[in-house]
Coordinates of all heavy atoms in Angstrom, one line a residue:
N1 N 48.8 -212.2 -50.0 CA 49.4 -211.0 -49.7 C 48.9 -210.4 -48.4 O 48.8 -209.2 -48.3 CB 49.2 -210.0 -50.9 CG 49.9 -210.4 -52.1 OD1 50.9 -211.1 -52.0 ND2 49.5 -209.9 -53.3
I2 N 48.7 -211.2 -47.4 CA 48.3 -210.7 -46.1 C 49.6 -210.4 -45.4 O 50.5 -211.3 -45.1 CB 47.5 -211.6 -45.3 CG1 46.2 -211.9 -46.1 CG2 47.2 -211.1 -43.9 CD1 45.3 -213.0 -45.4
P3 N 49.9 -209.1 -45.0 CA 51.2 -208.8 -44.5 C 51.4 -209.3 -43.0 O 52.5 -209.6 -42.6 CB 51.3 -207.3 -44.5 CG 49.9 -206.8 -44.5 CD 49.1 -208.0 -45.2
N4 N 50.4 -209.2 -42.2 CA 50.6 -209.5 -40.8 C 49.8 -210.8 -40.4 O 48.9 -210.8 -39.5 CB 50.1 -208.4 -39.9 CG 50.7 -208.4 -38.6 OD1 51.5 -209.3 -38.2 ND2 50.4 -207.4 -37.8
I5 N 50.3 -211.9 -41.0 CA 49.6 -213.2 -40.7 C 49.9 -213.8 -39.3 O 49.2 -214.5 -38.7 CB 49.9 -214.3 -41.8 CG1 49.0 -215.4 -41.8 CG2 51.4 -214.7 -41.6 CD1 47.7 -215.2 -42.4
R6 N 51.1 -213.4 -38.8 CA 51.5 -213.8 -37.4 C 50.5 -213.3 -36.3 O 50.3 -214.0 -35.4 CB 52.9 -213.3 -37.1 CG 54.0 -214.0 -37.9 CD 55.3 -213.6 -37.4 NE 56.4 -214.2 -38.3 CZ 57.6 -213.9 -38.3 NH1 58.0 -212.8 -37.6 NH2 58.4 -214.4 -39.1
A7 N 50.0 -212.1 -36.5 CA 49.1 -211.6 -35.5 C 47.8 -212.4 -35.5 O 47.2 -212.6 -34.4 CB 48.8 -210.1 -35.8
I8 N 47.4 -212.9 -36.6 CA 46.2 -213.8 -36.7 C 46.5 -215.1 -36.1 O 45.6 -215.7 -35.4 CB 45.7 -213.9 -38.1 CG1 45.3 -212.5 -38.7 CG2 44.6 -214.8 -38.3 CD1 45.0 -212.4 -40.1
R9 N 47.7 -215.6 -36.2 CA 48.1 -217.0 -35.7 C 48.1 -217.0 -34.2 O 48.0 -218.0 -33.6 CB 49.4 -217.3 -36.2 CG 49.4 -217.7 -37.7 CD 50.7 -218.2 -38.1 NE 50.7 -218.6 -39.5 CZ 51.7 -218.8 -40.3 NH1 53.0 -218.8 -39.7 NH2 51.7 -219.1 -41.5
T10 N 48.2 -215.8 -33.5 CA 48.2 -215.8 -32.1 C 46.9 -216.2 -31.5 O 46.8 -216.6 -30.3 CB 48.6 -214.4 -31.6 OG1 47.7 -213.4 -32.1 CG2 50.1 -214.0 -32.0
F11 N 45.9 -216.1 -32.3 CA 44.5 -216.5 -31.8 C 44.4 -217.9 -31.7 O 43.4 -218.4 -31.2 CB 43.4 -215.9 -32.7 CG 43.3 -214.4 -32.5 CD1 43.7 -213.5 -33.6 CD2 42.8 -213.8 -31.4 CE1 43.6 -212.2 -33.4 CE2 42.7 -212.5 -31.2 CZ 43.1 -211.6 -32.3
R12 N 45.4 -218.7 -32.1 CA 45.4 -220.2 -31.9 C 45.3 -220.6 -30.4 O 44.9 -221.6 -30.1 CB 46.6 -220.8 -32.5 CG 46.6 -220.8 -34.0 CD 47.8 -221.5 -34.6 NE 47.9 -221.4 -36.0 CZ 48.9 -221.9 -36.7 NH1 49.8 -222.6 -36.1 NH2 48.9 -221.8 -38.0
V13 N 45.8 -219.7 -29.6 CA 45.9 -219.9 -28.2 C 44.4 -220.1 -27.6 O 44.2 -220.8 -26.7 CB 46.6 -218.7 -27.5 CG1 46.5 -218.9 -25.9 CG2 48.0 -218.6 -27.9
L14 N 43.5 -219.4 -28.3 CA 42.1 -219.5 -27.8 C 41.4 -220.7 -28.3 O 40.2 -220.9 -27.9 CB 41.4 -218.2 -28.3 CG 42.0 -216.9 -27.9 CD1 41.2 -215.8 -28.5 CD2 41.9 -216.8 -26.4
R15 N 42.0 -221.6 -29.0 CA 41.3 -222.8 -29.5 C 40.8 -223.7 -28.4 O 39.7 -224.3 -28.5 CB 42.2 -223.6 -30.4 CG 42.3 -223.0 -31.8 CD 43.1 -223.9 -32.7 NE 43.2 -223.4 -34.0 CZ 44.0 -223.9 -34.9 NH1 44.8 -225.0 -34.7 NH2 44.1 -223.3 -36.1
P16 N 41.6 -223.9 -27.3 CA 41.1 -224.8 -26.2 C 39.8 -224.3 -25.5 O 39.1 -225.0 -24.9 CB 42.3 -224.8 -25.2 CG 43.5 -224.5 -26.0 CD 43.0 -223.6 -27.1
L17 N 39.5 -223.0 -25.7 CA 38.3 -222.5 -25.1 C 37.1 -223.1 -25.8 O 35.9 -223.0 -25.3 CB 38.3 -221.0 -25.2 CG 39.3 -220.2 -24.3 CD1 39.2 -218.8 -24.5 CD2 39.1 -220.6 -22.9
K18 N 37.2 -223.6 -27.0 CA 36.1 -224.2 -27.7 C 35.6 -225.5 -26.9 O 34.4 -225.8 -26.9 CB 36.5 -224.7 -29.1 CG 36.7 -223.6 -30.1 CD 37.1 -224.2 -31.4 CE 37.4 -223.2 -32.4 NZ 37.7 -223.8 -33.7
S19 N 36.5 -226.1 -26.2 CA 36.1 -227.3 -25.4 C 35.2 -227.0 -24.2 O 34.6 -227.8 -23.6 CB 37.3 -228.0 -24.9 OG 38.1 -227.3 -24.0
L20 N 35.1 -225.7 -23.8 CA 34.3 -225.3 -22.7 C 32.8 -225.5 -23.0 O 32.0 -225.8 -22.2 CB 34.5 -223.8 -22.4 CG 35.9 -223.5 -21.8 CD1 35.9 -222.0 -21.5 CD2 36.2 -224.3 -20.6
R21 N 32.4 -225.5 -24.3 CA 31.0 -225.8 -24.7 C 30.7 -227.3 -24.5 O 29.6 -227.7 -24.1 CB 30.8 -225.4 -26.1 CG 30.6 -223.9 -26.3 CD 30.1 -223.6 -27.7 NE 31.2 -222.7 -28.2 CZ 31.6 -222.8 -29.5 NH1 31.0 -223.5 -30.4 NH2 32.5 -222.0 -29.9
V22 N 31.7 -228.1 -24.8 CA 31.6 -229.5 -24.7 C 31.6 -230.0 -23.3 O 30.8 -231.0 -22.9 CB 32.6 -230.3 -25.6 CG1 32.4 -231.8 -25.5 CG2 32.6 -229.8 -27.0
L23 N 32.4 -229.5 -22.4 CA 32.6 -229.9 -21.1 C 32.0 -228.8 -20.1 O 32.7 -227.9 -19.8 CB 34.1 -230.1 -20.8 CG 34.8 -231.2 -21.7 CD1 36.3 -231.1 -21.5 CD2 34.2 -232.6 -21.4
P24 N 30.8 -228.9 -19.7 CA 30.2 -227.9 -18.8 C 30.9 -227.8 -17.5 O 30.9 -226.7 -16.9 CB 28.8 -228.3 -18.7 CG 28.7 -229.7 -19.1 CD 29.8 -230.0 -20.0
G25 N 31.5 -228.9 -17.0 CA 32.2 -228.9 -15.6 C 33.4 -228.0 -15.7 O 33.6 -227.2 -14.8
V26 N 34.1 -228.1 -16.8 CA 35.3 -227.2 -17.0 C 34.9 -225.8 -17.2 O 35.6 -224.9 -16.6 CB 36.2 -227.7 -18.2 CG1 37.4 -226.8 -18.4 CG2 36.6 -229.2 -17.9
A27 N 33.8 -225.6 -17.8 CA 33.3 -224.2 -18.0 C 33.0 -223.5 -16.7 O 33.2 -222.4 -16.4 CB 32.1 -224.2 -19.0
K28 N 32.4 -224.3 -15.8 CA 32.0 -223.8 -14.5 C 33.3 -223.5 -13.7 O 33.3 -222.5 -13.0 CB 31.2 -224.9 -13.7 CG 30.7 -224.4 -12.4 CD 29.6 -223.3 -12.6 CE 29.0 -223.0 -11.3 NZ 28.2 -221.8 -11.3
I29 N 34.3 -224.3 -13.8 CA 35.6 -224.1 -13.1 C 36.3 -222.8 -13.5 O 36.7 -222.0 -12.8 CB 36.5 -225.3 -13.2 CG1 36.0 -226.5 -12.4 CG2 37.9 -225.0 -12.7 CD1 36.7 -227.8 -12.7
V30 N 36.2 -222.6 -14.9 CA 36.8 -221.4 -15.4 C 36.0 -220.2 -15.0 O 36.6 -219.2 -14.6 CB 36.9 -221.5 -17.0 CG1 37.3 -220.2 -17.6 CG2 37.9 -222.6 -17.4
E31 N 34.7 -220.3 -15.0 CA 33.9 -219.2 -14.5 C 34.1 -218.8 -13.1 O 34.3 -217.6 -12.7 CB 32.4 -219.5 -14.7 CG 31.4 -218.5 -14.3 CD 30.0 -218.9 -14.4 OE1 29.7 -220.0 -15.0 OE2 29.2 -218.2 -14.0
V32 N 34.2 -219.8 -12.2 CA 34.5 -219.5 -10.8 C 35.9 -218.9 -10.6 O 36.1 -218.0 -9.8 CB 34.3 -220.8 -10.0 CG1 34.9 -220.6 -8.6 CG2 32.9 -221.2 -9.9
F33 N 36.9 -219.4 -11.4 CA 38.2 -218.9 -11.3 C 38.2 -217.4 -11.7 O 38.9 -216.6 -11.0 CB 39.1 -219.7 -12.2 CG 40.5 -219.1 -12.3 CD1 41.4 -219.2 -11.2 CD2 41.0 -218.4 -13.4 CE1 42.7 -218.7 -11.3 CE2 42.2 -217.9 -13.5 CZ 43.1 -218.1 -12.4
L34 N 37.5 -217.0 -12.8 CA 37.5 -215.7 -13.2 C 36.8 -214.8 -12.2 O 37.1 -213.6 -12.0 CB 36.9 -215.5 -14.6 CG 37.6 -216.2 -15.7 CD1 36.9 -216.1 -17.1 CD2 39.0 -215.5 -15.9
I35 N 35.7 -215.3 -11.6 CA 35.1 -214.5 -10.5 C 35.9 -214.3 -9.3 O 35.9 -213.3 -8.7 CB 33.7 -215.3 -10.1 CG1 32.7 -215.2 -11.3 CG2 33.1 -214.6 -8.9 CD1 31.5 -216.1 -11.1
S36 N 36.8 -215.2 -9.0 CA 37.6 -215.1 -7.8 C 38.8 -214.3 -8.0 O 39.5 -213.9 -7.0 CB 38.0 -216.5 -7.3 OG 38.9 -217.1 -8.3
L37 N 39.2 -213.9 -9.2 CA 40.4 -213.1 -9.4 C 40.4 -211.7 -8.7 O 41.4 -211.3 -8.1 CB 40.6 -212.8 -10.9 CG 41.2 -214.0 -11.7 CD1 41.3 -213.7 -13.1 CD2 42.6 -214.4 -11.1
P38 N 39.3 -211.0 -8.6 CA 39.4 -209.7 -7.8 C 39.6 -209.9 -6.4 O 40.3 -209.1 -5.7 CB 38.0 -209.1 -8.1 CG 37.5 -209.7 -9.3 CD 38.1 -211.1 -9.4
H39 N 39.1 -211.0 -5.8 CA 39.4 -211.3 -4.4 C 40.8 -211.7 -4.1 O 41.3 -211.5 -3.0 CB 38.4 -212.4 -3.9 CG 37.0 -212.0 -4.1 ND1 36.4 -211.0 -3.4 CD2 36.0 -212.5 -4.9 CE1 35.1 -210.9 -3.7 NE2 34.9 -211.8 -4.7
L40 N 41.5 -212.2 -5.1 CA 42.9 -212.5 -4.9 C 43.7 -211.3 -4.8 O 44.8 -211.3 -4.2 CB 43.4 -213.4 -6.1 CG 42.8 -214.8 -6.1 CD1 43.3 -215.5 -7.3 CD2 43.2 -215.6 -4.9
G41 N 43.3 -210.1 -5.3 CA 44.0 -208.9 -5.1 C 44.2 -208.5 -3.7 O 45.2 -208.0 -3.3
D42 N 43.2 -208.8 -2.9 CA 43.3 -208.5 -1.4 C 44.4 -209.3 -0.8 O 45.1 -208.9 0.1 CB 41.9 -208.7 -0.8 CG 40.8 -207.9 -1.3 OD1 41.1 -206.8 -1.8 OD2 39.6 -208.2 -1.2
I43 N 44.4 -210.6 -1.2 CA 45.5 -211.5 -0.6 C 46.8 -211.0 -1.0 O 47.8 -211.0 -0.2 CB 45.2 -212.9 -1.0 CG1 43.8 -213.4 -0.4 CG2 46.3 -213.8 -0.6 CD1 43.3 -214.7 -0.9
V44 N 47.0 -210.6 -2.3 CA 48.3 -210.2 -2.7 C 48.7 -208.9 -2.0 O 49.9 -208.7 -1.6 CB 48.3 -209.9 -4.2 CG1 49.5 -209.2 -4.7 CG2 48.2 -211.2 -5.0
L45 N 47.8 -208.0 -1.7 CA 48.1 -206.8 -1.0 C 48.5 -207.1 0.4 O 49.4 -206.5 1.0 CB 46.8 -205.9 -1.0 CG 47.0 -204.5 -0.4 CD1 47.9 -203.7 -1.2 CD2 45.6 -203.9 -0.3
M46 N 47.8 -208.1 1.1 CA 48.2 -208.5 2.4 C 49.6 -209.1 2.4 O 50.4 -208.9 3.3 CB 47.1 -209.5 2.9 CG 47.3 -209.8 4.4 SD 47.0 -208.3 5.3 CE 46.1 -208.9 6.6
L47 N 49.9 -209.9 1.4 CA 51.3 -210.5 1.3 C 52.3 -209.5 1.2 O 53.4 -209.5 1.8 CB 51.3 -211.5 0.2 CG 50.8 -212.9 0.4 CD1 50.8 -213.6 -0.9 CD2 51.6 -213.6 1.5
I48 N 52.1 -208.4 0.3 CA 53.0 -207.4 0.1 C 53.3 -206.6 1.5 O 54.4 -206.3 1.8 CB 52.6 -206.4 -0.9 CG1 52.7 -207.1 -2.3 CG2 53.4 -205.1 -1.0 CD1 52.0 -206.3 -3.5
L49 N 52.2 -206.3 2.2 CA 52.3 -205.7 3.5 C 53.1 -206.5 4.5 O 53.9 -206.0 5.2 CB 50.9 -205.4 4.0 CG 50.8 -204.7 5.4 CD1 51.4 -203.3 5.2 CD2 49.4 -204.6 5.9
T50 N 52.9 -207.8 4.5 CA 53.6 -208.7 5.4 C 55.1 -208.7 5.0 O 56.0 -208.6 5.9 CB 53.1 -210.1 5.3 OG1 51.7 -210.1 5.6 CG2 53.7 -211.0 6.2
F51 N 55.4 -208.7 3.7 CA 56.9 -208.8 3.3 C 57.5 -207.4 3.7 O 58.7 -207.4 4.1 CB 57.0 -209.0 1.8 CG 56.7 -210.4 1.4 CD1 56.1 -210.6 0.1 CD2 57.0 -211.5 2.2 CE1 55.8 -211.9 -0.2 CE2 56.8 -212.7 1.7 CZ 56.2 -213.0 0.6
I52 N 56.8 -206.3 3.6 CA 57.4 -205.0 3.9 C 57.7 -205.0 5.4 O 58.7 -204.5 5.9 CB 56.5 -203.8 3.5 CG1 56.5 -203.8 1.9 CG2 56.8 -202.6 4.1 CD1 55.5 -202.8 1.4
I53 N 56.7 -205.4 6.2 CA 56.9 -205.4 7.7 C 58.1 -206.3 8.1 O 58.9 -205.9 8.9 CB 55.6 -205.9 8.4 CG1 54.6 -204.7 8.2 CG2 55.8 -206.1 9.9 CD1 53.2 -205.1 8.7
F54 N 58.1 -207.5 7.6 CA 59.3 -208.4 7.9 C 60.6 -207.9 7.4 O 61.6 -208.1 8.0 CB 59.0 -209.8 7.5 CG 58.2 -210.6 8.4 CD1 56.8 -210.8 8.2 CD2 58.8 -211.1 9.6 CE1 56.0 -211.5 9.1 CE2 58.0 -211.9 10.5 CZ 56.6 -212.1 10.2
G55 N 60.6 -207.2 6.3 CA 61.8 -206.6 5.7 C 62.3 -205.4 6.7 O 63.5 -205.3 6.9
M56 N 61.3 -204.6 7.1 CA 61.7 -203.6 8.0 C 62.3 -204.1 9.4 O 63.3 -203.6 9.9 CB 60.5 -202.7 8.3 CG 60.1 -201.9 7.1 SD 58.4 -201.3 7.3 CE 58.6 -199.7 8.0
I57 N 61.7 -205.2 9.9 CA 62.2 -205.9 11.1 C 63.6 -206.4 10.8 O 64.5 -206.2 11.7 CB 61.2 -207.0 11.6 CG1 59.9 -206.3 12.1 CG2 61.8 -207.8 12.7 CD1 58.8 -207.3 12.3
G58 N 63.8 -207.0 9.7 CA 65.1 -207.6 9.4 C 66.2 -206.5 9.2 O 67.3 -206.7 9.7
V59 N 65.8 -205.4 8.7 CA 66.8 -204.3 8.6 C 67.1 -203.7 9.9 O 68.3 -203.5 10.2 CB 66.2 -203.2 7.6 CG1 67.1 -201.9 7.8 CG2 66.2 -203.6 6.2
Q60 N 66.1 -203.7 10.8 CA 66.4 -203.1 12.1 C 67.3 -204.1 12.9 O 68.1 -203.7 13.7 CB 65.1 -202.9 12.9 CG 64.4 -201.7 12.3 CD 65.2 -200.4 12.5 OE1 65.8 -200.1 13.5 NE2 65.2 -199.6 11.4
L61 N 67.0 -205.4 12.8 CA 67.8 -206.4 13.5 C 69.2 -206.5 13.0 O 70.1 -206.8 13.9 CB 67.1 -207.8 13.5 CG 65.8 -207.9 14.3 CD1 65.2 -209.3 14.0 CD2 66.1 -207.8 15.8
F62 N 69.4 -206.5 11.8 CA 70.7 -206.8 11.2 C 71.5 -205.6 10.7 O 72.4 -205.7 9.9 CB 70.6 -207.8 10.1 CG 70.1 -209.2 10.6 CD1 68.8 -209.5 10.3 CD2 70.9 -210.0 11.4 CE1 68.3 -210.8 10.8 CE2 70.4 -211.1 11.9 CZ 69.1 -211.5 11.6
S63 N 71.2 -204.4 11.2 CA 72.0 -203.2 10.9 C 72.6 -202.7 12.1 O 72.4 -203.0 13.2 CB 71.0 -202.1 10.3 OG 70.1 -201.7 11.3
G64 N 73.6 -201.8 11.9 CA 74.3 -201.2 13.0 C 75.6 -201.9 13.3 O 76.1 -202.8 12.6
P65 N 76.3 -201.5 14.4 CA 77.6 -202.0 14.7 C 77.6 -203.4 15.1 O 78.6 -204.1 15.0 CB 78.0 -201.1 15.9 CG 76.8 -200.6 16.5 CD 75.8 -200.5 15.4
M66 N 76.5 -204.0 15.6 CA 76.5 -205.4 16.0 C 76.2 -206.3 14.9 O 76.1 -207.5 15.0 CB 75.4 -205.6 17.1 CG 75.7 -204.8 18.4 SD 77.2 -205.3 19.1 CE 76.8 -207.0 19.7
M67 N 76.1 -205.8 13.6 CA 75.8 -206.7 12.5 C 76.7 -207.8 12.3 O 76.4 -209.0 12.0 CB 75.6 -205.9 11.2 CG 75.2 -206.7 10.0 SD 75.5 -205.9 8.4 CE 77.2 -206.0 8.2
H68 N 78.1 -207.5 12.4 CA 79.1 -208.5 12.1 C 79.0 -209.6 13.1 O 79.3 -210.8 12.8 CB 80.4 -207.9 12.1 CG 80.6 -206.9 11.0 ND1 80.5 -207.3 9.7 CD2 80.7 -205.6 10.9 CE1 80.7 -206.2 8.9 NE2 80.8 -205.2 9.6
S69 N 78.6 -209.3 14.4 CA 78.5 -210.4 15.4 C 77.3 -211.3 15.1 O 77.2 -212.4 15.5 CB 78.5 -209.8 16.8 OG 77.3 -209.0 16.9
R70 N 76.3 -210.8 14.4 CA 75.1 -211.5 14.2 C 75.2 -212.3 12.9 O 74.6 -213.4 12.7 CB 73.9 -210.6 14.1 CG 73.5 -210.0 15.4 CD 72.2 -209.3 15.2 NE 71.8 -208.6 16.4 CZ 71.6 -207.3 16.5 NH1 71.6 -206.6 15.4 NH2 71.3 -206.7 17.7
C71 N 76.0 -211.8 11.9 CA 76.0 -212.4 10.6 C 77.3 -213.2 10.3 O 77.5 -213.8 9.3 CB 75.8 -211.4 9.5 SG 74.2 -210.6 9.6
R72 N 78.2 -213.3 11.2 CA 79.5 -213.9 11.0 C 79.8 -215.0 12.1 O 79.4 -214.9 13.2 CB 80.7 -212.9 11.0 CG 80.6 -211.9 9.9 CD 81.9 -211.1 9.9 NE 81.7 -210.0 9.1 CZ 82.2 -210.0 7.8 NH1 82.7 -211.1 7.3 NH2 82.1 -208.9 7.1
Y73 N 80.6 -215.9 11.7 CA 81.1 -216.9 12.7 C 82.4 -216.3 13.3 O 82.8 -216.7 14.4 CB 81.5 -218.2 12.0 CG 80.3 -219.0 11.7 CD1 80.0 -219.4 10.4 CD2 79.3 -219.4 12.6 CE1 79.0 -220.2 10.0 CE2 78.2 -220.1 12.3 CZ 78.0 -220.5 11.0 OH 76.9 -221.2 10.7
T74 N 83.1 -215.4 12.6 CA 84.3 -214.8 13.1 C 84.1 -213.3 13.4 O 83.2 -212.7 12.8 CB 85.5 -214.9 12.1 OG1 85.1 -214.3 10.9 CG2 85.8 -216.4 11.8
P75 N 84.8 -212.7 14.4 CA 84.5 -211.3 14.7 C 85.0 -210.4 13.7 O 84.8 -209.2 13.8 CB 85.2 -211.2 16.1 CG 86.2 -212.2 16.1 CD 85.7 -213.4 15.3
Y76 N 85.8 -210.8 12.7 CA 86.5 -210.0 11.7 C 86.3 -210.7 10.3 O 86.2 -211.9 10.3 CB 88.0 -209.8 12.1 CG 88.7 -211.0 12.3 CD1 89.2 -211.8 11.2 CD2 88.8 -211.6 13.6 CE1 89.9 -212.9 11.4 CE2 89.4 -212.8 13.7 CZ 90.0 -213.5 12.6 OH 90.6 -214.7 12.8
P77 N 86.4 -209.9 9.3 CA 86.3 -210.5 7.9 C 87.5 -211.4 7.7 O 88.7 -211.1 7.9 CB 86.3 -209.3 7.0 CG 86.0 -208.2 7.8 CD 86.4 -208.5 9.2
V78 N 87.2 -212.6 7.1 CA 88.3 -213.6 6.8 C 88.9 -213.2 5.4 O 88.1 -213.1 4.4 CB 87.8 -215.0 6.8 CG1 88.9 -216.0 6.4 CG2 87.2 -215.3 8.2
K79 N 90.2 -213.0 5.3 CA 90.8 -212.6 4.0 C 91.6 -213.8 3.5 O 92.6 -213.5 2.8 CB 91.6 -211.4 4.1 CG 90.8 -210.1 4.4 CD 91.6 -208.9 4.3 CE 90.9 -207.7 4.6 NZ 91.7 -206.5 4.5
K80 N 91.2 -215.0 3.7 CA 91.9 -216.1 3.2 C 91.1 -216.7 2.0 O 89.9 -216.8 2.1 CB 92.1 -217.1 4.3 CG 92.8 -218.3 3.9 CD 93.0 -219.3 5.0 CE 93.8 -220.5 4.5 NZ 93.9 -221.5 5.5
S81 N 91.8 -217.2 1.1 CA 91.2 -217.8 -0.1 C 90.9 -219.3 0.3 O 91.8 -220.0 0.6 CB 92.1 -217.7 -1.3 OG 91.5 -218.5 -2.3
W82 N 89.7 -219.7 0.2 CA 89.3 -221.1 0.4 C 89.4 -221.9 -0.9 O 89.2 -223.1 -0.8 CB 87.9 -221.1 1.0 CG 87.9 -220.4 2.4 CD1 87.4 -219.2 2.6 CD2 88.3 -220.9 3.6 NE1 87.5 -218.9 3.9 CE2 88.1 -220.0 4.6 CE3 88.9 -222.1 4.0 CZ2 88.4 -220.1 5.9 CZ3 89.2 -222.3 5.3 CH2 89.0 -221.3 6.3
V83 N 89.5 -221.2 -2.0 CA 89.6 -221.9 -3.3 C 91.1 -222.0 -3.6 O 91.8 -221.0 -3.6 CB 88.9 -221.1 -4.4 CG1 88.9 -221.8 -5.7 CG2 87.4 -220.8 -3.9
P84 N 91.6 -223.2 -4.0 CA 93.1 -223.3 -4.2 C 93.7 -222.4 -5.3 O 94.8 -222.0 -5.1 CB 93.2 -224.8 -4.6 CG 92.0 -225.4 -4.1 CD 90.9 -224.4 -4.1
H85 N 93.0 -222.2 -6.4 CA 93.5 -221.5 -7.5 C 93.4 -220.0 -7.4 O 93.8 -219.3 -8.3 CB 93.0 -222.1 -8.8 CG 91.5 -221.8 -9.0 ND1 90.6 -222.7 -8.4 CD2 90.8 -220.9 -9.7 CE1 89.4 -222.2 -8.7 NE2 89.5 -221.2 -9.5
V86 N 92.7 -219.5 -6.4 CA 92.5 -218.0 -6.2 C 93.6 -217.5 -5.2 O 93.7 -218.0 -4.1 CB 91.1 -217.7 -5.8 CG1 90.9 -216.3 -5.6 CG2 90.0 -218.3 -6.8
S87 N 94.2 -216.4 -5.6 CA 95.2 -215.8 -4.7 C 94.5 -214.9 -3.7 O 93.4 -214.5 -3.8 CB 96.2 -215.0 -5.5 OG 95.6 -213.9 -6.1
N88 N 95.3 -214.6 -2.6 CA 94.7 -213.8 -1.6 C 94.6 -212.3 -2.0 O 93.9 -211.5 -1.4 CB 95.7 -213.8 -0.3 CG 95.4 -215.2 0.4 OD1 94.5 -215.8 0.2 ND2 96.4 -215.6 1.2
E89 N 95.3 -211.9 -3.0 CA 95.3 -210.5 -3.5 C 93.9 -210.1 -4.0 O 93.5 -208.9 -3.9 CB 96.3 -210.2 -4.6 CG 97.7 -210.2 -4.1 CD 98.3 -211.6 -4.1 OE1 97.9 -212.5 -4.8 OE2 99.2 -211.8 -3.2
S90 N 93.1 -211.0 -4.4 CA 91.8 -210.7 -4.9 C 90.8 -210.3 -3.8 O 89.8 -209.7 -4.0 CB 91.2 -211.8 -5.7 OG 91.0 -213.0 -4.9
F91 N 91.2 -210.6 -2.5 CA 90.3 -210.3 -1.4 C 90.7 -209.0 -0.8 O 90.0 -208.6 0.2 CB 90.4 -211.4 -0.4 CG 89.7 -212.6 -0.9 CD1 90.5 -213.7 -1.3 CD2 88.4 -212.8 -0.9 CE1 89.9 -214.9 -1.7 CE2 87.8 -213.9 -1.3 CZ 88.6 -215.0 -1.8
E92 N 91.7 -208.3 -1.2 CA 92.2 -207.1 -0.5 C 91.7 -205.8 -1.3 O 91.2 -205.8 -2.4 CB 93.7 -207.1 -0.4 CG 94.1 -208.2 0.5 CD 95.6 -208.2 0.6 OE1 96.4 -207.4 0.0 OE2 96.1 -209.1 1.3

């Protein structure tokens, strides 16, 4: 009559951690990985900053009246259907 047996079954995920006692080399790798996690936060912060900077540069380069000349092969939007079963009315 245990109502919430599924919550207890989730602890099965922790079973492989028992092998850390048997394999000291793996235990050392896991320990070093856990120690290095706070330092990875600095790298993630630097990546976010880099993405923001390149995003701002991209918006500045590809915005404005010259955008169509930078992003298109044709100087005007093509309103022709390249798919045989699609009519031209869907593009207007």
